[in-house]
Amino acid sequence: MERINETAVTEFVFLGFSSLFELQQLLFVVFLLLYLFTLGTNAVILFTILLDRALHTPMYFFLAVLSCSETCYTFVIVPKMLVDLLSQKKTISFVGCAIQMFTFLFLGCSHSFLLAAMGYDRYVAICNPLRYTTLMSPGVCLCLVAMACACGFTISIIITSLVFHLPFHSSNKLLHFFCDISPVLKVASYHTHLSQMVIFMLCALVLVIPLLLILISYIHIIFAILQFSSSVGRYKAFSTCASHLIVVTVHYGCASFIYLRPKNNYTSSQDTLISVSYTILTPLFNPMIYSLRNKEFKSALRRILGRTFFSIQQ
């Protein structure tokens, strides 16, 4: 009961863009256009994969899940951020902050494990092509996505519970534009070394375990590709993995910078800049990297546009 009485904070105030007050209307327009373009791009990718049977393969199934995940991720953060850019009162309730943290952690953690599943898909496609349809059956693909979501849910609920069981009564001003772990911990009245270590270890596991699985997959892939006799075959095999490697590098680079630094290296301006990149730019570029440089996807998109145009003409 004493802890409940101490928890006087009922809402948090976002100060992420307070130093850019004169530019907030410009930022609103830029971020809104990027957000709408992100939604449009992901919608095109999802509908193309759903409508073209040639894309009903494990690789494009995972791409559709990734695109859906990226869209949901932006829903959690960007609309609230856009409203705050035009508002004098940039607040969020205590419960709303907890829900926002849980949801974006769930999607982010699931994303990490989903990238590991996509690495496994590329490993099977290149190292075991004759058994690909068996090893990557629809049931296996659904199971991998379900496992990624289950891991993301478990880790996010533990971290969110640890953070919001702390007392908050000294300050409610977050030097950020959404309820991320470090800014919220920074305004807690106190937190034990054990809880901080548990949160850090869980964040590390979410990044390290999938990354190790991806590295193991690509070690086998590289050895398999080097045994190809044809240089054209080697190029095609490497090109199918290039998109995944780019997305992995961006995702783990940003996440490691934010979540794996010592607390004394925390700077709000750097985190705001990096957070803008992975909440607005990364969801825009990731699906585009996977799809728009992919000849098979572009052919499917042209077929769908052609059928649509033909049906309109009739």
Side-chain angles (χ1 to χ4, degrees), residues 207-263:
L207 296 173
V208 172
I209 291 177
L211 187 57
L212 283 176
L213 294 173
I214 292 169
L215 288 174
I216 292 169
S217 295
Y218 274 99
I219 288 171
H220 286 88
I221 288 170
I222 290 169
F223 278 114
I225 290 175
L226 291 177
Q227 294 175 11
F228 289 2
S229 57
S230 168
S231 59
V232 176
R234 286 196 295 269
Y235 173 78
K236 289 181 67 176
F238 274 122
S239 65
T240 61
C241 301
S243 300
H244 182 250
L245 286 172
I246 294 170
V247 172
V248 166
T249 302
V250 172
H251 174 76
Y252 286 101
C254 292
S256 298
F257 181 86
I258 294 291
Y259 299 110
L260 297 186
R261 290 174 301 158
K263 188 184 176 185

Side-chain angles (χ1 to χ4, degrees), residues 7-297:
T7 308
V9 171
T10 58
E11 65 179 17
F12 293 101
V13 180
F14 293 128
L15 301 177
F17 297 108
S18 57
S19 61
L20 301 172
F21 181 77
E22 295 82 2
L23 299 175
Q24 288 190 11
Q25 290 185 345
L26 175 62
L27 289 174
F28 171 82
V29 174
V30 172
F31 291 158
L32 177 61
L33 291 175
L34 289 173
Y35 180 55
L36 293 176
F37 191 68
T38 300
L39 294 181
T41 304
N42 282 286
V44 168
I45 291 169
L46 282 170
F47 282 114
T48 302
I49 293 172
L50 287 172
L51 296 175
D52 196 285
R53 293 185 63 85
L55 300 184
H56 292 181
T57 63
M59 184 178 78
Y60 290 103
F61 168 75
F62 287 122
L63 175 58
V65 175
L66 178 72
S67 186
C68 185
S69 172
E70 299 281 15
T71 303
C72 293
Y73 191 89
T74 59
F75 277 144
V76 176
I77 297 171
V78 179
K80 171 63 176 169
M81 181 191 71
L82 291 172
V83 171
D84 287 342
L85 283 170
L86 297 181
S87 303
Q88 293 292 328
K89 188 180 180 183
K90 309 175 193 301
T91 59
I92 187 171
S93 68
F94 187 86
V95 174
C97 189
I99 293 171
Q100 187 184 58
M101 181 181 289
F102 165 77
T103 310
F104 95 81
L105 282 176
F106 165 64
L107 292 168
C109 295
S110 301
H111 193 150
S112 290
F113 289 103
L114 179 62
L115 289 175
M118 296 174 82
Y120 175 71
D121 171 69
R122 292 298 84 209
Y123 158 74
V124 176
I126 293 172
C127 299
N128 293 285
L130 297 179
R131 300 179 60 200
Y132 181 67
T133 54
T134 303
L135 294 175
M136 297 302 296
S137 64
V140 172
C141 293
L142 286 172
C143 185
L144 289 172
V145 172
M147 288 171 62
C149 292
C151 291
F153 178 86
T154 303
I155 292 169
S156 58
I157 198 73
I158 293 171
I159 293 177
T160 306
S161 298
L162 287 171
V163 171
F164 284 92
H165 272 81
L166 298 171
F168 294 88
H169 56 83
S170 57
S171 173
N172 70 336
K173 293 177 172 57
L174 302 180
L175 299 175
H176 212 38
F177 60 90
F178 70 97
C179 294
D180 207 349
I181 298 171
S182 294
V184 175
L185 284 177
K186 197 176 179 70
V187 300
S189 300
Y190 68 85
H191 44 82
T192 64
H193 180 69
L194 177 61
S195 64
Q196 189 176 346
M197 282 301 299
V198 171
I199 292 170
F200 178 82
M201 290 301 297
L202 286 172
C203 291
L205 286 175
V206 169
L207 296 173
V208 172
I209 291 177
L211 187 57
L212 283 176
L213 294 173
I214 292 169
L215 288 174
I216 292 169
S217 295
Y218 274 99
I219 288 171
H220 286 88
I221 288 170
I222 290 169
F223 278 114
I225 290 175
L226 291 177
Q227 294 175 11
F228 289 2
S229 57
S230 168
S231 59
V232 176
R234 286 196 295 269
Y235 173 78
K236 289 181 67 176
F238 274 122
S239 65
T240 61
C241 301
S243 300
H244 182 250
L245 286 172
I246 294 170
V247 172
V248 166
T249 302
V250 172
H251 174 76
Y252 286 101
C254 292
S256 298
F257 181 86
I258 294 291
Y259 299 110
L260 297 186
R261 290 174 301 158
K263 188 184 176 185
N264 55 6
N265 288 341
Y266 171 78
T267 58
S268 59
S269 58
Q270 287 179 331
D271 278 9
T272 299
L273 181 62
I274 297 296
S275 297
V276 165
S277 71
Y278 76 73
T279 55
I280 297 178
L281 299 180
T282 302
L284 170 64
F285 290 127
N286 277 358
M288 291 176 65
I289 290 168
Y290 263 106
S291 57
L292 298 185
R293 64 184 302 274
N294 186 302
K295 292 181 180 179
E296 190 177 15
F297 179 87

